[in-house]
Amino acid sequence: MASNAEVERIFVEIGDLLDLLGEQRFKVEAYRRAARTLESLGEPLERIAARGELERIPGIGDALEAKIREYLSTGRLEYLEKLRQQVPPGIRELMRLPGVGPKTARRFWVEIGVEGPLELAQAVEAGRLRGVAGFGERKIEQLRQGLAALGAGVDGGSRRPLLDAWEIAEELRERLRASAPVDELVVAGSLRRSRETVGDLDLLAISREPAKVFASFLALPGLIEVRSKGDTKSTILLAPGIQVDLRVLEPESFGAALQYFTGSKDHNVHLRTLAREKGLKVNEYGVFREEERVAGRTEEEVYAALGLAPIPPEIRENHGEVEAAAAGQVPTLFERSSLRTDLHLHLPLQGEDAALAPWAERALGLGYSELGVVVENDDEAAERIRRLRPTAPTTAGAKTTLRVRFGVEQEGASPLPPPEGAEYILLRPSVGGTPPKTEAPAESLPRFLGHLEAEDPAAVAGRVGWVEWALRDRLPVEVGPRPERTGLDSGSLRSLAARGVRFLPSARSERSRELARIAVSVGLLRRGAVSATQVLLGLPEGTPKKRRART
DNA sequence: GCCGTTTTCGGCCCGACTGTTTTCAGTCG
């Protein structure tokens, strides 16, 4: 079965090939725009095609619709195959080199006669680029380094899972805040939109001393390469192979820059087109009428200047949100600040986090009033809960209280009843299996459908039964920060929400500092346009306090 | 190639940085 990702890749390839062949840029852009749209579609193309609604996808017209249909029905695309015959396969690879776009790649091919990275490397070493117009010493050195990095697989060109990117970004922010005079430092880009994968990091800072900020930035540990440096913007490559952009701005422009660098690109193009129609101009410094800046300090200002209600970052994909904002009908998304609990954390056996105190402190910092420790439902469960219970803090500080709850985790129906002290059950779906029967006696504990993480994408994809399970038994579904391992990406969340499923966000922590990862889980829920009414904020009240002890 | 309550033709977002240039093209986001 053809997946959206396959069609997406095909359109990207067509875009590249047309670009290399010197086709007009708007045609090239049309294929790339369509590819981006497909990436964030959230619904299988085959379903849309079956409804006859392909042309309703923004950026898909007659020609692209016909190509999608051809591929869906035959698994091939004649147009692509013809294009491939015109360009050697290695030429596309050349475009992955930093500083090499379609024009330069084409010159390598036509003028130098190389057909891929290996041949280019040989040509560089043989000095065949010397004296060629447009290739000075620095350009050649840049190529040499780029080729070496390409061979070593550290080109920073690949996307990584949202959570990994988030953790890198958090660490960067901490370091920069400690070492540079910044008044504000935020992450924009696809990370702020909570995209499931993130290519590079976009940092924005407000500072009165940009030079000092850039100096700190260029001295970050783990820096592999400085890709550009200027007065307002610098780009580096960090050791994990991730590219990081930093822009330093004045407060007057911060909202406009945040809006602009959060994207998505297609969302921004839409806004700018709208602005032109209103006689305005939008750039990263503000919204302008003639020379006068009419907005820019905050994002809300920018949207308001265009006659739009504020649009949450997570849904800025040009999938109709701009039209909705113009009509004042932006969906109200779940807010992290309303969350009062995290019911899925595991205490390690040793170390500082084996005790509840550090967890409680972090939880209070996040504004929680409740925290749920989960143990495996086995013969030791009651004993583990009993050991922790006396240390459970009930208050911290003068007013805030934190209630620590205990739950058990099990796969489907357990032969063991819940142990003494357990207040809820986290059910794990089994891999590839059908959902077990889960009779629900009236007095039973609240139950949630936890997620099972799998490294293997096939195992994730093969786990089909649990959706039916959640629907059949009306079980709230846990949403964690690793969609690539659970299969619960924003598209799935959106369709589950539409079918009435409720959600329980968790950080799935095994260390107390990981509680902060709830930001990622909530981001995914928001990207799935999940509203506050569909999220469980804490354990339902009325939980039976006394359980019959097992014997 | 897409798109349209000013258009079915003629537009298509906007700016920073780089390298190699004497005023700019290419790349990138």
Side-chain angles (χ1 to χ4, degrees):
Chain A
M1 188 167 103
S3 72
N4 293 16
E6 286 170 30
V7 182
E8 179 197 340
R9 277 195 297 274
I10 284 171
F11 283 175
V12 168
E13 184 175 351
I14 291 176
D16 284 351
L17 294 176
L18 291 176
D19 212 349
L20 285 165
L21 289 168
E23 187 57 81
Q24 59 153 320
R25 62 195 180 99
F26 294 111
K27 185 168 170 178
V28 173
E29 185 54 27
Y31 278 96
R32 293 188 174 147
R33 188 173 55 226
R36 288 194 300 270
T37 302
L38 295 186
E39 190 279 332
S40 53
L41 205 51
E43 189 187 3
L45 279 171
E46 291 193 323
R47 255 199 346 239
I48 302 174
R51 288 201 308 270
E53 292 183 351
L54 283 178
E55 61 192 338
R56 290 180 61 179
I57 302 172
I60 305 290
D62 291 343
L64 293 192
E65 180 187 352
K67 291 187 173 67
I68 293 174
R69 287 196 179 282
E70 180 187 340
Y71 186 75
L72 288 182
S73 60
T74 68
R76 301 177 51 226
L77 191 57
E78 201 176 332
Y79 182 63
L80 173 61
E81 286 167 19
K82 281 187 176 166
L83 287 175
R84 279 178 176 165
Q85 288 170 12
Q86 299 174 53
V87 185
I91 302 299
R92 261 189 93 203
E93 285 284 298
L94 296 180
M95 287 172 63
R96 290 175 58 196
L97 294 166
V100 177
K103 298 283 194 297
T104 313
R106 188 181 164 81
R107 287 191 63 196
F108 287 142
W109 172 31
V110 176
E111 292 178 28
I112 316 291
V114 304
E115 299 201 341
L118 271 181
E119 285 183 30
L120 180 62
Q122 289 165 2
V124 167
E125 295 316 318
R128 283 169 57 199
L129 258 54
R130 221 158 280 155
V132 178
F135 291 96
E137 277 307 312
R138 303 175 78 168
K139 190 82 183 173
I140 291 175
E141 185 51 34
Q142 184 195 21
L143 272 178
R144 188 175 281 128
Q145 287 186 12
L147 284 161
L150 195 65
V154 288
D155 61 333
S158 56
R159 304 183 70 86
R160 66 190 63 231
L162 175 61
L163 179 63
D164 297 349
W166 180 83
E167 286 179 337
I168 295 171
E170 287 300 296
E171 193 187 331
L172 274 181
R173 285 182 64 205
E174 253 176 58
R175 285 187 187 279
L176 279 176
R177 280 188 175 285
S179 65
V182 290
D183 297 328
E184 188 78 65
L185 181 65
V186 301
V187 183
S190 52
L191 177 54
R192 184 161 181 251
R193 302 202 312 279
S194 292
R195 255 190 75 168
E196 280 79 359
T197 60
V198 174
D200 52 17
L201 300 179
D202 292 294
L203 298 178
L204 300 184
I206 296 181
S207 176
R208 277 179 278 280
E209 300 174 284
K212 286 188 182 174
V213 180
F214 283 119
S216 294
F217 184 63
L218 297 176
L220 278 173
L223 183 144
I224 293 179
E225 181 191 335
V226 177
R227 293 203 161 161
S228 80
K229 51 178 179 180
D231 295 337
T232 65
K233 175 196 163 182
S234 285
T235 302
I236 61 172
L237 186 66
L238 281 184
I242 192 164
Q243 180 172 307
V244 186
D245 290 353
L246 173 68
R247 291 173 179 81
V248 182
L249 304 134
E250 296 174 339
E252 292 71 27
S253 309
F254 193 68
L258 185 55
Q259 192 290 314
Y260 179 63
F261 291 112
T262 296
S264 68
K265 178 176 179 162
D266 297 312
H267 175 86
N268 287 352
V269 169
H270 196 151
L271 289 194
R272 290 177 178 204
T273 307
L274 195 67
R276 284 165 69 104
E277 290 165 7
K278 293 173 185 289
L280 300 166
K281 185 176 79 166
V282 181
N283 59 26
E284 58 261 56
Y285 300 109
V287 181
F288 297 86
R289 172 168 279 120
E290 304 294 324
E291 296 297 304
E292 181 200 3
R293 189 202 319 251
V294 297
R297 189 171 283 270
T298 67
E299 281 192 318
E300 289 75 13
E301 251 185 49
V302 172
Y303 283 101
L306 301 174
L308 300 173
I311 300 175
E314 294 89 346
I315 59 170
R316 297 180 193 168
E317 298 291 341
N318 198 31
H319 286 181
E321 74 281 1
V322 178
E323 292 85 349
Q329 291 172 342
V330 177
T332 307
L333 306 184
F334 174 67
E335 300 274 349
R336 174 152 63 110
S337 57
S338 59
L339 196 62
R340 289 286 167 261
T341 194
D342 188 328
L343 291 175
H344 193 170
L345 54 95
H346 292 277
L347 265 56
L349 294 174
Q350 293 174 353
E352 196 181 329
D353 286 334
L356 278 170
W359 294 86
E361 192 182 328
R362 303 254 186 187
L364 288 166
L366 288 164
Y368 294 164
S369 56
E370 189 179 80
L371 202 55
V373 178
V374 169
V375 300
E376 187 68 23
N377 190 15
D378 55 23
D379 292 329
E380 312 292 320
E383 172 60 17
R384 280 201 294 275
I385 292 174
R386 196 189 55 76
R387 270 206 312 271
L388 281 166
R389 174 74 73 190
T391 71
T394 51
T395 64
K399 292 178 190 170
T400 32
T401 65
L402 185 79
R403 191 168 167 194
V404 178
R405 322 291 290 260
F406 291 90
V408 288
E409 187 172 1
Q410 63 191 40
E411 193 159 322
S414 168
L416 295 173
E420 172 85 25
E423 295 167 90
Y424 59 96
I425 300 172
L426 204 61
L427 294 163
R428 278 195 306 254
S430 42
V431 175
T434 47
K437 283 275 177 245
T438 51
E439 294 83 18
E443 73 280 12
S444 82
L445 301 179
R447 295 170 308 148
F448 307 104
L449 192 56
H451 54 66
L452 185 60
E453 296 197 347
E455 300 276 354
D456 176 11
V460 174
R463 201 185 302 141
V464 287
W466 66 268
V467 175
E468 281 64 40
W469 192 11
L471 291 167
R472 183 190 69 194
D473 295 353
R474 307 189 60 79
L475 293 172
V477 171
E478 179 188 9
V479 177
R482 282 210 179 276
E484 72 279 10
R485 292 189 190 169
T486 62
L488 277 180
D489 57 19
S490 57
S492 316
L493 296 175
R494 184 188 293 268
S495 60
L496 286 177
R499 298 172 74 179
V501 169
R502 300 183 76 199
F503 301 103
L504 180 77
S506 89
R508 216 175 197 282
S509 318
E510 294 175 4
R511 291 284 180 274
S512 62
R513 63 177 164 77
E514 289 174 346
L515 281 174
R517 311 195 308 191
I518 195 70
V520 177
S521 309
V522 170
L524 287 165
L525 281 167
R526 289 169 58 84
R527 191 171 169 82
V530 172
S531 74
T533 57
Q534 291 168 297
V535 177
L536 251 82
L537 303 178
L539 266 188
E541 286 305 324
T543 303
K545 285 185 177 141
K546 288 280 180 187
R547 295 287 306 176
R548 188 169 46 83
R550 70 166 68 129
T551 50

